[in-house]
Amino acid sequence: MIEQVLTGAVAGGTCIVFAGLGEIVAERSGVINLGTEGSMLCGALAAYAVGIQTGNPWIGVAAGMLAGLALSAVFAAMVLLRNANQIAMGLVVSFLGIGITALFGQDYVGKGVVPLETWDIPGLSKLPFLGPVLFQHDPLTYLSFLAVPALTWVIWRTRAGLVLRAAGEGPEVLEIYGTSATRVRWVAVLFGGAMAGIGGAQLSTASTLNWSEQMTVGRGYVAVALVIFAGWVPYKLMLGAYLFSGAIALNLYLQAQGSDISQYILQSLPYVLVLVVLALLSRRRIHGGPAALEKVFES
Amino acid sequence: MTAVDAPPSETDDAPDPAPVVAEETGGEPTFAQRLPRVVARWAAIIVSTIVIFSAFLLAKGADPGPVLEAMWKTAMGTPDSIGETLIRATPILLAALAAAVPARAGLFNLGGEGQLLMGAIGAILVADQLDGGAPGFLTLVLMAVGAAALGAAWAALPALLKVVTRTNEAISSLLLNYIAAIIVTWLCFEPWKDPASLGQAYSREMTGPERFPVIWGERVHPGIFVAIGAAVVLWAVLKYTTWGFKLRVIGGNPSAARRAGLAVGGLSVAAMCVGGAMAGLGGMIEIAGTEGRLRPGLLAGVGFIGFLASWLAKHDPLKCILSAFILGAIAVGGSGLKISAGLSGGAVNILMALVLFAVLGWGSKPAAKES
């Protein structure tokens, strides 16, 4: 049972890991982007559609990444150029993403996917327990395993990471050293959009293997919630994403077993878990967050 | 900046006066002087959104002319379609008020979806308790009270989490929407399932005194008047009472408000609860007026549209009436898009987003060099 639930947690959580890692970068620069939901949807559809058109899922993933990036560029322009409110604009951009994917996705509902195939890692995939949980997935899942330490290293050990954190903590200081905080935020938001696009691509072409309207059902918003939950730390975000999707996997597993526990309680479990942990950690977290981000909420 | 300034989120250099601004700056141009600018601005907004939306339709391979015409006809073309728009605008307006009141206090209520659903549940709970034992008008009043109470309670959760644990209320209210939707699904499939609803899952159909009368055409009920009345009352409360003034103060500068001795926590919770009560009322009206029963997927998306309507109106309850009507018309236009052109109705989300971009993006000041 544990093996199945954990396998489901990793398989279902990967898309949230990508979106959340991107959002960590955006929020570290001082921008909260609820448009992540829209970027994921656009990524999911673009990857699905381009995969079918070209027959090559990798071109699809690239298209998904670009679609997510394009939508976040709209968000960045509104927030960074026009100074519009971040929370409201995030929701508006998600509406745009929902609308665009509804319009162009209609022809792809029910069309066969060109899937990202599962790569069993030679040797490791044969391990008992760990093999199926960690080493029998699609390549993007392995990429997410690498992205977590890589991003951690970039954020804390490189000059780029220092500049990123400075944009979120003390934009005035950054300006004194001749770097534009706004420019850093542009790069961070676009990176976040691209990552959400990859997450969406993974969702449609490797996880659910279909396209339907609003198929992300709030995973982008959950990713934003998990970023705060994780205190803007990549590995904690990964754990949070697996906790969320593990709760979904648990429900599916128990239902398949014909369990007596109400499926509705189990369905709400992932959201309740995130909410409760968020509440328990928030008192400590609020001062751990980027200073510029607090301004968004406490102005 | 003084404490009584409008919240900075309300970046308002638009010619139309938010009441807050009007109080402070003497020598405002008169309405007649501003009118040409207002008209020109709205003409530009309407033309640009239609042009960009048409470009999307062309990219999809649809002819924009007939599609837009069909959307107009469905939303505004006949008395019946205007009635549909009013029906749709009603819960949107109340959800907009649910976002607008907390926004005055500097809070983001993204939980309108869940609060609407809790209102619907509250209304049915009360109706089931009464079981036809109260006269018609009283039944509706009690249902509304129950709905408002449950909506307020659902909104109190993120507010209390904010005050007690400093949990971000935008995120927690958003997550609660999904939990509310699961509760509705559970009620429809298990305890409240109407035995007569084969296959589908509905609660029992409400009848008689539990329903609003139809006042126009086949479906239009007086709910829109309740919603407009609520908007007017809230406008007056926010503008003329000390409570409304206090909300603006904490929205403008919470730490200054705290130093001035205002109970920021209590006021925040109260603002969210009033908002939640409005959304709850919206859920009740949807049940008693339009739907007659609970079903999975009820009011999906309406809470978010209401949030957008509040931003479109810069959190002014009176302007929310207009913005809810506009977004309601666009939402109803989606059915026209679907029926006439065979396109997905969800595509109207593009149009809503474009309107918001135009108003929020063009209406706000360009980013300052130093923020």
Side-chain angles (χ1 to χ4, degrees), chain B residues 4-7 9-26 28-29 31 34 38 41 104 235 238-240 248 310-320 363:
Chain B
V4 286
D5 266 340
S9 52
E10 213 174 330
T11 45
D12 186 0
D13 72 340
D16 36 358
V20 189
V21 177
E23 282 165 18
E24 298 172 348
T25 49
E28 284 257 316
F31 183 70
R34 285 199 324 267
V38 174
R41 178 160 174 257
R104 283 305 179 97
W235 169 79
L238 290 174
K239 191 172 163 69
Y240 293 114
R248 290 209 302 276
S310 172
W311 279 87
L312 199 54
K314 302 199 166 104
H315 316 309
D316 176 341
L318 284 188
K319 289 184 190 164
C320 282

Side-chain angles (χ1 to χ4, degrees), chain A residues 81-82 103 106 213 283 297, chain B residues 60 164 168 342 344 364-365:
Chain A
L81 282 182
R82 303 297 312 179
L103 182 64
Q106 200 184 11
E213 251 182 60
R283 189 177 270 283
F297 290 103
Chain B
K60 177 69 175 73
V164 177
N168 181 320
S344 165
S364 63
K365 295 183 183 79

Side-chain angles (χ1 to χ4, degrees), chain A:
Chain A
M1 167 190 169
I2 294 172
E3 181 180 311
Q4 273 132 323
V5 170
L6 287 181
T7 307
V10 173
T14 300
C15 64
I16 303 178
V17 172
F18 275 109
L21 290 178
E23 180 65 13
I24 283 180
V25 171
E27 291 193 21
R28 284 257 171 214
S29 84
V31 180
I32 182 166
N33 182 5
L34 284 173
T36 301
E37 172 79 3
S39 280
M40 277 185 91
L41 265 178
C42 288
L45 175 63
Y48 198 80
V50 171
I52 288 172
Q53 297 294 339
T54 61
N56 183 335
W58 287 102
I59 300 177
V61 171
M65 184 179 85
L66 286 176
L69 184 144
L71 201 72
S72 68
V74 177
F75 173 82
M78 287 292 159
V79 164
L80 298 174
L81 282 182
R82 303 297 312 179
N83 216 16
N85 180 276
Q86 295 182 5
I87 301 288
M89 249 330 132
L91 202 66
V92 175
V93 165
S94 284
F95 262 67
L96 182 65
I98 291 169
I100 290 175
T101 51
L103 182 64
F104 294 102
Q106 200 184 11
D107 301 341
Y108 293 95
V109 176
K111 272 210 177 166
V113 65
V114 180
L116 269 181
E117 273 154 30
T118 303
W119 290 357
D120 290 349
I121 303 285
L124 292 175
S125 66
K126 298 286 186 295
L127 290 173
F129 189 74
L130 284 181
V133 171
L134 292 177
F135 301 113
Q136 296 178 14
H137 291 287
D138 63 283
L140 284 180
T141 302
Y142 304 132
L143 184 64
S144 75
F145 294 164
L146 300 177
V148 170
L151 195 66
T152 308
W153 182 75
V154 169
I155 290 176
W156 279 282
R157 290 280 179 270
T158 67
R159 190 185 145 73
L162 183 67
V163 169
L164 174 73
R165 283 180 291 138
E169 295 291 352
E172 318 77 23
V173 180
L174 199 61
E175 304 277 348
I176 291 170
Y177 284 91
T179 307
S180 154
T182 306
R183 193 169 304 160
V184 176
R185 287 174 183 169
W186 264 98
V187 175
V189 169
L190 294 181
F191 176 80
M195 290 289 275
I198 297 175
Q202 196 273 344
L203 178 68
S204 66
T205 64
S207 181
T208 63
L209 303 179
N210 73 347
W211 162 257
S212 59
E213 251 182 60
Q214 298 199 42
M215 67 178 293
T216 49
V217 286
R219 283 186 178 83
Y221 300 133
V222 168
V224 177
L226 287 174
V227 168
I228 300 172
F229 166 114
W232 300 273
V233 174
Y235 86 88
K236 289 183 185 167
L237 171 100
M238 190 181 214
L239 293 180
Y242 292 162
L243 182 69
F244 180 84
S245 62
I248 296 175
L250 179 70
N251 176 28
L252 296 177
Y253 175 80
L254 288 179
Q255 272 184 57
Q257 301 289 309
S259 159
D260 286 339
I261 308 171
S262 162
Q263 57 161 312
Y264 303 101
I265 291 178
L266 291 169
Q267 273 173 20
S268 60
L269 188 63
Y271 299 98
V272 175
L273 267 179
V274 172
L275 198 59
V276 168
V277 179
L278 196 58
L280 291 177
L281 296 181
S282 280
R283 189 177 270 283
R284 272 184 294 153
R285 279 293 143 67
I286 193 81
H287 295 297
L293 207 58
E294 284 179 45
K295 276 194 198 154
V296 176
F297 290 103
E298 305 222 329
S299 52

